[in-house]
Structures are given as structure tokens and as C-alpha cells.
């Protein structure tokens, strides 16, 4: 890739913060018992950190765990294989679990994690994703809580990366390259 990348903001800090509070209120309404939040690393770390604090404000007292999953990528396209790089440490048996991920695209990552925790005896496994890309599902899964519907573009920021960069951005955006790539938002044929 050549050219100077610039980032177009898709979802800004304020919009994300407001949505997190609303999601937390929704999650609290279901009155989860002995709630265990499991954040899927790495992409969800920022969303999970903000959502967990919003859950606290919504009156919940979740415990927090992490699972590091890797979906093999060919460039920016998932090949469909998911492996565990780091497992959860807590026993999930009998617990209400909330799985947190950054993006639901093919659905393979979240489905893999959900099946794993259900097989280990979780009482329930609900899913919260910051972004959902519709029309991209390879496996059938409907997330319980969705932050935003995302256009079919590769996004970065708020924990999400391309080639390990841009995770630090406090907003979700799209990388444009001035010289090499066409404008992702330009719909002219
Ligand atoms: P899925 O297994 O196809 O649903 O893909 C979900 C995973 O792929 C997410 O957890 C992300 O880590 C990654 N991913 C999918 N789309 C994007 C994107 O636009 N930007 C960054 N990561 C993405
Ligand atoms: Mg991910």
C-alpha cells in the first residue's frame, strides 16, 4: 500500500459512548445471574472496557474474563478457521455469560466461542457485538446486543486493527489511501 493513509470517522466517540450506555441498560434488563463477561481478544478490548463500566453504572456486578481467538486472515478476508490462542481461566458452568466481540461478520468467531462455552456448561451465553456487518454471515447466528450496523468496508480503531495498527483510535473509522485505492465511499461506477 502506498500513499498517506487518512481515517474517515464512521462512529465517533460520543456516539459510541451513548450506545454503550444503552446496551448496558438492555443487558441489565435481562437480570443476568452471576454474570461473567468474556471479551474476545484482541479486537474487543476497548469496547469491552467501556461496556463493562457502563454495566457497572447500570447496576450489574459482572466478573470479567478474556479469550484470545484467532481467525485466520488472508489479507483482510477471513478463511474460516478459528483457534484458541489463550483460553478463559474461570469455570463457566451454570453461569450467565455475555460474550463481547468487536465485529460480527461471517459469524464464525462468535459462534465458535459460544459453542465452546455452552459445551462447558454455561447456563446461557448471550452475545454483544459493537458492529454487525449484515449480509456477510457464513453461519447462522443472531447477536443479542448490537452497537451499530456497519457498512461493508474494512474498519479500524476503537480496538480494531489492520496489520496491528490503529487500535488506539478512540473512534471507528475507515482507512483511505490517497494514491493507491479508490475512495471506499465513492459509489459512482
Ligand atoms: P467473523 O468470524 O467473520 O464474524 O469475523 C469476526 C472477526 O474478524 C472480528 O472479531 C474481527 O477481529 C475481524 N474483522 C472482521 N471485519 C473486520 C474489519 O472490518 N476490521 C477489523 N477487523 C475485522
Ligand atoms: Mg476479533
Amino acid at each position: 500500500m502506498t500513499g498517506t493513509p487518512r481515517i474517515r470517522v464512521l462512529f465517533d466517540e460520543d456516539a459510541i459512548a451513548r450506545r454503550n450506555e444503552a446496551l448496558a441498560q438492555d443487558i441489565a434488563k435481562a437480570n443476568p445471574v452471576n454474570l461473567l463477561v468474556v471479551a474476545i481478544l484482541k479486537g474487543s478490548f476497548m469496547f469491552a472496557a467501556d461496556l463493562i463500566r457502563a454495566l457497572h453504572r447500570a447496576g450489574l456486578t459482572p466478573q470479567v474474563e478474556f479469550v484470545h481467538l484467532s481467525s485466520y486472515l488472508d489479507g483482510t478476508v477471513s478463511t474460516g478457521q478459528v483457534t484458541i490462542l489463550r483460553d478463559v481461566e474461570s469455570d463457566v458452568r451454570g453461569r450467565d455469560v455475555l460474550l463481547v466481540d468487536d465485529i460480527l461478520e461471517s459469524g464464525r468467531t462468535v459462534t465458535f466461542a459460544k459453542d465452546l462455552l455452552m459445551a462447558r456448561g454455561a447456563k446461557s451465553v448471550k452475545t454483544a457485538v459493537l458492529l454487525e456487518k449484515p449480509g456477510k454471515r457464513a453461519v447462522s447466528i443472531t447477536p443479542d446486543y448490537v452497537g451499530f450496523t456497519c457498512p461493508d468496508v474494512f474498519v479500524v480503531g476503537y480496538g480494531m486493527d489492520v496489520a496491528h495498527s490503529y487500535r488506539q483510535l478512540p473512534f471507528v473509522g475507515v482507512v483511505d489511501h490517497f494514491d493507491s485505492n479508490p475512495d471506499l465511499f465513492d459509489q459512482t461506477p
Side-chain angles (χ1 to χ4, degrees), residues 100-144:
V100 176
D101 204 4
D102 50 3
I103 300 197
L104 191 75
E105 196 172 68
S106 74
R108 289 190 190 101
T109 307
V110 167
T111 300
F112 176 91
K114 185 173 179 173
D115 290 350
L116 183 75
L117 299 178
M118 285 306 291
R120 289 177 182 171
K123 185 170 101 198
S124 72
V125 179
K126 290 195 170 177
T127 54
V129 295
L130 176 69
L131 304 175
E132 179 182 28
K133 287 186 186 171
K136 304 286 285 184
R137 220 66 81 242
V139 296
S140 167
I141 180 166
T142 305
D144 296 283

Side-chain angles (χ1 to χ4, degrees), residues 143-162:
D144 296 283
Y145 307 99
V146 176
F148 302 94
T149 300
C150 183
D152 187 14
V153 291
F154 198 84
V155 296
V156 297
Y158 200 61
M160 292 173 283
D161 73 311
V162 61

Side-chain angles (χ1 to χ4, degrees), residues 49-109:
D50 285 344
L51 185 65
I52 289 158
R53 284 176 285 190
L55 290 175
H56 165 75
R57 288 188 286 273
L60 296 182
T61 54
Q63 292 185 352
V64 182
E65 267 281 5
F66 302 91
V67 64
H68 189 179
L69 299 181
S70 163
S71 7
Y72 282 95
L73 291 181
D74 183 4
T76 57
V77 179
S78 168
T79 60
Q81 247 186 307
V82 182
T83 54
I84 304 173
L85 299 181
R86 179 204 180 275
D87 209 338
V88 293
E89 286 166 3
S90 300
D91 190 350
V92 301
R93 253 176 303 180
R95 303 194 68 171
D96 282 334
V97 174
L98 180 69
L99 264 178
V100 176
D101 204 4
D102 50 3
I103 300 197
L104 191 75
E105 196 172 68
S106 74
R108 289 190 190 101
T109 307

